[in-house]
Amino acid sequence: MNASPEPLPHLIDVDLGDRSYRITIGSGHLDDVGTICREALVDRHAFVITDSNVGPIYLDRVTTSLGGTSKRVDVMTMEAGESTKSLANCQRIWQQMLHLAADRSSIVVALGGGVIGDLGGFVAAAFARGIDFVQIPTSLLAQVDSSVGGKVGINLPGAKNMVGAFWQPRSVLIDTDVLSTLDQRNYVAGLAEVIKYGLIMDLPFFEYLEKSVSELLSLDSETLARVIARCCQCKTDVVEADEREQSGRRAILNYGHTYGHAIEAVFGYGTFLHGEAISIGMTCAGRLAVQLGLVDSEFLKRQTELFRAVGLPVDCPSEKHDELIDAMARDKKVSKGQLNLILPTKIGHVESIPAPNRAEILTSLKPTD
Ligand code: GLY
């Protein structure tokens, strides 16, 4: 990755034919939502969905800015937390939209982290058979992953993201300043997805991250903007190649996720944040890759050192390993009875490999050092 500063804002165009959109990344952008996303919002009824953490801090700035562009602005504030991503809440929001005379020309603005982005996107995907939406992600995880690429959805009891759609936003606006109000644990958890891009597809980016730990931990705004832009570009390249996860290319984004989803489910959602679970998951997957001879132990050492340096957990809890393996076998990605795992072959490259036997996976759950 080039070490010289690049001009702000960073603009990334996601080229998906008539579903194309722009990602704008920079500082102070919340005051300019109306102008930056003007094309999507002008003279339309904007329906903002936010949550009880983000709304009190940022909603006024966003609605003020929207007021200069949109015809009408309405707001619905949901309770913060994963349980908000439910069908019952979709119904509440749809009823409220109906009550406010939303129609096919209305546009949903999702202001929040991954929960609000996924929920707001799904609300938009299904209302009146699909209306436009704009993503304004406010967590690092949402900024580098879930706000880009059009995966939207809700949870069913016991089944995360089980109901959803591919529904691309009309625009994504990322303001790096909002990360200053994100709590440290959630910020660090987001770094797991950041590091993942280096590991799966971008060695120079991984090397840049290794050299930028102190800037990342001090929220240096120039470093953050460059890092988020690089992640969004990586994700864009993957999504442009395989929008609906059909060719296998998009599956590389699931590195560490089969382990990670199992860890989240078995130890209870919220015990580990998603980013923490996939940091442990990538460590287990890296260890499995060493066991299978796909990478040498130096790979695992470098990966683990970077996770540890930013404060991410790497060790799987020592109990419930049989339950974890059972949960992995139920992964949404199991196809025709075969579980494939995304495993590294070197830093910057991963491949989809049929899962080995249970004993090998059990060994990969146990710390080696
Ligand atoms: N977060 C994985 C994907 O968007 O495909």
Side-chain angles (χ1 to χ4, degrees):
M1 192 172 167
N2 191 326
S4 62
E6 291 153 28
L8 292 171
H10 298 267
L11 304 174
I12 295 168
D13 290 315
V14 186
D15 184 2
L16 293 170
D18 61 2
R19 297 174 309 293
S20 297
Y21 53 97
R22 171 166 282 185
I23 308 165
T24 305
I25 302 147
S27 164
H29 283 352
L30 286 191
D31 298 312
D32 301 320
V33 178
T35 39
I36 292 172
C37 305
R38 183 175 169 78
E39 211 184 308
L41 295 161
V42 69
D43 291 335
R44 296 173 78 172
H45 168 217
F47 187 85
V48 183
I49 303 174
T50 189
D51 75 22
S52 52
N53 285 343
V54 172
I57 318 177
Y58 297 119
L59 187 59
D60 281 353
R61 286 170 62 193
V62 170
T63 51
T64 301
S65 178
L66 288 173
T69 303
S70 301
K71 190 166 65 182
R72 178 160 63 100
V73 182
D74 285 308
V75 173
M76 189 154 175
T77 302
M78 312 302 293
E79 203 178 314
E82 185 70 31
S83 59
T84 288
K85 254 170 74 173
S86 67
L87 190 57
N89 277 329
C90 283
Q91 177 148 9
R92 279 182 57 216
I93 298 171
W94 288 322
Q95 291 292 162
Q96 180 67 358
M97 290 171 75
L98 212 53
H99 175 70
L100 293 166
D103 62 22
R104 282 202 162 144
S105 68
S106 300
I107 181 161
V108 169
V109 177
L111 171 68
V115 167
I116 290 298
D118 286 6
L119 175 74
F122 185 65
V123 160
F127 187 79
R129 296 209 178 87
I131 65 171
D132 288 343
F133 84 115
V134 168
Q135 289 268 27
I136 309 179
T138 57
S139 69
L140 181 60
L141 192 110
Q143 293 184 344
V144 299
D145 180 30
S146 57
S147 69
V148 176
K151 277 191 182 175
V152 296
I154 54 169
N155 304 327
L156 293 183
K160 215 178 154 181
N161 296 332
M162 202 60 211
V163 174
F166 289 98
W167 191 249
Q168 301 294 340
R170 283 287 310 275
S171 187
V172 180
L173 186 143
I174 296 175
D175 186 340
T176 56
D177 295 353
V178 303
L179 297 178
S180 64
T181 56
L182 186 65
D183 65 276
Q184 171 81 359
R185 185 177 170 199
N186 268 289
Y187 173 72
V188 169
L191 290 174
E193 294 282 5
V194 169
I195 295 169
K196 182 193 77 178
Y197 288 108
L199 290 164
I200 64 172
M201 62 192 290
D202 195 341
L203 171 63
F205 182 50
F206 184 85
E207 290 168 339
Y208 174 81
L209 294 173
E210 286 182 312
K211 289 190 209 117
S212 308
V213 168
S214 64
E215 289 85 351
L216 286 169
L217 293 181
S218 63
L219 300 186
D220 175 70
S221 62
E222 183 61 43
T223 306
L224 274 179
R226 296 184 67 208
V227 162
I228 292 167
R230 187 68 209 147
C231 294
C232 288
Q233 186 62 63
C234 286
K235 178 127 190 201
T236 296
D237 292 347
V238 171
V239 169
E240 284 178 352
D242 183 19
E243 182 186 358
R244 299 176 71 90
E245 205 163 326
Q246 284 165 327
S247 74
R249 182 67 183 155
R250 190 161 178 164
I252 70 169
L253 299 171
N254 297 327
Y255 177 44
H257 280 58
T258 302
Y259 285 98
H261 286 153
I263 289 167
E264 285 180 275
V266 167
F267 293 100
Y269 290 104
T271 304
F272 291 99
L273 297 177
H274 176 69
E276 294 168 342
I278 66 149
S279 171
I280 297 169
M282 286 187 274
T283 307
C284 296
R287 196 178 294 123
L288 184 64
V290 175
Q291 289 166 217
L292 298 178
L294 298 170
V295 287
D296 58 21
S297 56
E298 180 58 23
F299 168 92
L300 186 59
K301 186 165 171 281
R302 263 179 95 181
Q303 175 183 280
T304 307
E305 276 175 6
L306 186 51
F307 288 152
R308 284 204 171 117
V310 299
L312 283 163
V314 291
D315 291 330
C316 187
S318 56
E319 71 269 28
K320 299 194 179 181
H321 286 188
D322 282 317
E323 283 172 62
L324 282 174
I325 296 183
D326 292 343
M328 287 172 73
R330 288 194 300 271
D331 192 272
K332 226 178 21 272
K333 307 287 190 280
V334 172
S335 172
K336 297 182 185 137
Q338 173 63 55
L339 174 64
N340 290 305
L341 294 171
I342 303 299
L343 297 180
T345 55
K346 59 183 175 184
I347 293 179
H349 188 80
V350 288
E351 283 177 17
S352 177
I353 312 270
N357 62 42
R358 195 174 175 99
E360 288 280 14
I361 298 181
L362 204 53
T363 304
S364 72
L365 296 172
K366 297 177 186 145
T368 36
D369 52 334

